[in-house]
């Protein structure tokens, strides 16, 4: 049975949800599932904006067929050729043999690499090109590296709808509610939206900034992303989040303590540290065990907060492997502009502090607090002064 939503008077959401997929990109856990959005415009010409992941192709085809209601499909606009959106292009071609595909040069190259037979049906567009489908005229805007090099977004100048590809997307399946004003975004969606952005697109902040600059010139009334809710109210709220994330600016003055501990001694020191902050009036403090928190969640939280304290045991003369993994991810995603402090632990040859420090010095615009705490197996009275001055330094830098 088809399941669609009306977006505007002549635009329909024809996507679907995958609630069975455990790992997005086979890496990131998605306990709330994910939606793959596709939109169908019924103008003088019929136009489908992007397809969906292979996993929900059947639902998608039923949706497209229902909305077309016997009309042929004239155009398929591909904003993003990553297979979570492009996988079903051939199914569309098979069912609608007269369809023309509109996309970028790089996107057509990728389609051929993935083995799609598209000869004779392509219409190549570049940044700034326009196209009329009848009542609706659209402008194609290049969005390289948001999140692949071929990506573009499409702006409908007639009604202000922006088909934003992966930009402004979120993890999470849509439970019937499509629009941002139908959900409690701040309560139920922001964490998944942040985890999606930071882990999927986070590395490409400068490219997202370039796209945001282009967007300022457009009179955007609605944002139709390829994942998660459609934005039709309060656009400024989400655009502001994207602006902060892509500039690597923290959202909140907050302390995040990430600890690595095998036998609980480093963990105990981390708890004592958190307590000190709270007693000094800094209540925006969170603690994460690096072993039991998925790295995508650690990354997302690191984008949110201003201050990060890394507390790690030494493990075979190195950084504890899950902590090392987190640091590598942080570096790979280009995370910047944070203030960090280090707590190390070692029982016979303590190395973790220096090694974590080296890691951070190799990253952009990271301020590492000079005060370090060195634990020898467990925290004792000798560490109290160091711990207190670390807390004071962090609080000072939060002012
Ligand atoms: C497999 C393993 C390897 C370790 N390697 C080192 C090491 O190379 N140097 C060192 O100083 N301590 C080493 N330690 C000790 C830990 O760094 C840490 O001091 C101790 O486990 C207490 O902290 P915890 O209770 O937070 O785990 C090792 C511990 C384990 C279990
Ligand atoms: Fe993508
Ligand atoms: Fe995507």
């Amino acid at each position: 049975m088809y399941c669609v939503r009306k977006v505007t008077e002549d635009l329909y959401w024809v996507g679907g949800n995958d609630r069975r997929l455990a790992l997005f990109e086979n890496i990131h856990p998605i306990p709330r599932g994910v939606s793959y959005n596709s939109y169908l415009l019924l103008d003088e010409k019929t136009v489908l904006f992007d397809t969906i992941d292979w996993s929900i192709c059947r639902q998608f085809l039923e949706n497209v067929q229902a909305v077309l209601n016997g009309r042929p499909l004239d155009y398929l606009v591909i904003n993003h050729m990553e297979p979570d959106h492009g996988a079903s292009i051939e199914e569309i071609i098979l069912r609608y043999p007269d369809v023309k595909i509109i996309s970028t040069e790089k996107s057509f190259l990728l389609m051929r690499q993935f083995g799609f037979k598209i000869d004779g049906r392509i219409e190549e567009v570049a940044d700034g090109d326009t196209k009329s489908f009848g009542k609706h005229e659209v402008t194609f805007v290049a969005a390289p590296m948001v999140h692949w090099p071929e990506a573009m977004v499409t702006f409908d100048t007639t009604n202000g709808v922006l088909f934003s590809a992966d930009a402004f997307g979120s993890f999470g399946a849509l439970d019937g509610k499509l629009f941002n004003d139908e959900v409690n975004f701040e309560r139920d969606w922001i964490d998944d939206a942040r985890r999606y952005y930071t882990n999927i697109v986070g590395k490409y902040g400068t490219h997202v900034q370039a796209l945001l600059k282009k967007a300022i010139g457009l009179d955007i009334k609605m944002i139709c992303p390829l994942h998660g809710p459609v934005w039709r109210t309060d656009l400024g709220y989400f655009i502001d989040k994207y602006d902060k994330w892509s500039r690597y600016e923290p959202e909140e003055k907050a302390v995040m303590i990430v600890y690595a501990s095998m036998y609980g001694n480093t963990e105990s020191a981390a708890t004592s540290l958190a307590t000190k902050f709270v007693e000094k009036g800094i209540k925006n403090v969170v603690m994460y065990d690096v072993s039991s928190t998925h790295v995508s969640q650690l990354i997302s939280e690191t984008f949110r907060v201003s201050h990060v304290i890394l507390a790690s045991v030494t493990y075979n003369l190195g950084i504890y492997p899950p902590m090392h993994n987190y640091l590598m991810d942080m570096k790979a995603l280009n995370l910047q502009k944070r203030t960090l402090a280090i707590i190390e632990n070692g029982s016979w040859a303590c190395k973790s502090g220096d090694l974590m420090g080296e890691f951070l010095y190799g990253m952009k615009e990271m301020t590492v607090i000079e005060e370090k705490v060195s634990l020898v197996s467990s925290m004792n009275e000798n560490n109290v002064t160091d711990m207190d001055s670390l807390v004071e330094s962090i609080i000072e830098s939060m002012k």
Side-chain angles (χ1 to χ4, degrees), residues 273 309 341-342 371 373 386-394:
L273 178 73
I309 298 163
I342 288 172
E371 286 79 1
V373 178
D386 288 349
M387 191 78 101
D388 285 341
S389 47
L390 186 150
V391 170
E392 284 309 323
S393 270
I394 296 263

Side-chain angles (χ1 to χ4, degrees), residues 7 24 32 40 43 51 53 62 84 90 96 152 188 222 261 282 285 305 314 322 335 347 362 380 389:
V7 180
F24 189 79
R32 292 177 61 241
L40 182 51
D43 200 349
T51 72
D53 188 75
E62 282 185 61
D84 60 330
E90 268 204 335
Y96 305 99
M152 66 172 186
D188 299 333
M222 195 183 283
S261 181
I282 306 293
V285 178
V305 305
T314 304
L335 201 82
S347 292
N380 59 37
S389 47

Side-chain angles (χ1 to χ4, degrees), residues 208-339:
V208 173
Q209 276 291 308
L211 179 61
L212 288 175
K213 289 214 169 67
K214 288 185 189 176
I216 290 170
L218 308 172
D219 185 17
I220 302 171
K221 299 219 166 57
M222 195 183 283
I223 300 175
C224 292
L226 290 177
H227 305 280
V230 166
W231 286 79
R232 65 179 176 188
T233 60
D234 213 5
L235 273 56
Y237 161 83
F238 207 35
I239 293 173
D240 183 57
K241 292 284 182 202
Y242 260 69
D243 184 43
K244 278 215 174 70
W245 294 334
S246 56
R247 283 188 291 112
Y248 303 97
E249 298 285 352
E251 281 169 74
E252 290 172 42
K253 278 198 176 167
V255 177
M256 172 183 178
I257 303 167
V258 185
Y259 63 89
S261 181
M262 288 166 280
Y263 298 109
N265 295 285
T266 312
E267 177 177 4
S268 163
T271 308
S272 154
L273 178 73
T275 309
K276 282 180 194 288
F277 277 113
V278 176
E279 279 178 348
K280 296 257 177 195
I282 306 293
K283 297 196 186 71
N284 202 349
V285 178
V286 281
M287 285 179 65
Y288 289 103
D289 182 338
V290 78
S291 302
S292 60
T293 313
H294 193 270
V295 69
S296 66
Q297 175 67 15
L298 295 174
I299 288 294
S300 179
E301 283 291 86
T302 312
F303 269 74
R304 183 178 65 84
V305 305
S306 56
H307 290 69
V308 182
I309 298 163
L310 307 168
S312 179
V313 292
T314 304
Y315 192 84
N316 295 334
L317 299 179
I319 304 170
Y320 190 59
M323 180 66 89
H324 191 229
N325 183 44
Y326 162 55
L327 290 169
M328 285 205 293
D329 225 14
M330 212 196 272
K331 191 170 183 176
L333 291 168
N334 218 358
L335 201 82
Q336 307 164 27
K337 302 181 190 171
R338 295 299 183 276
T339 302

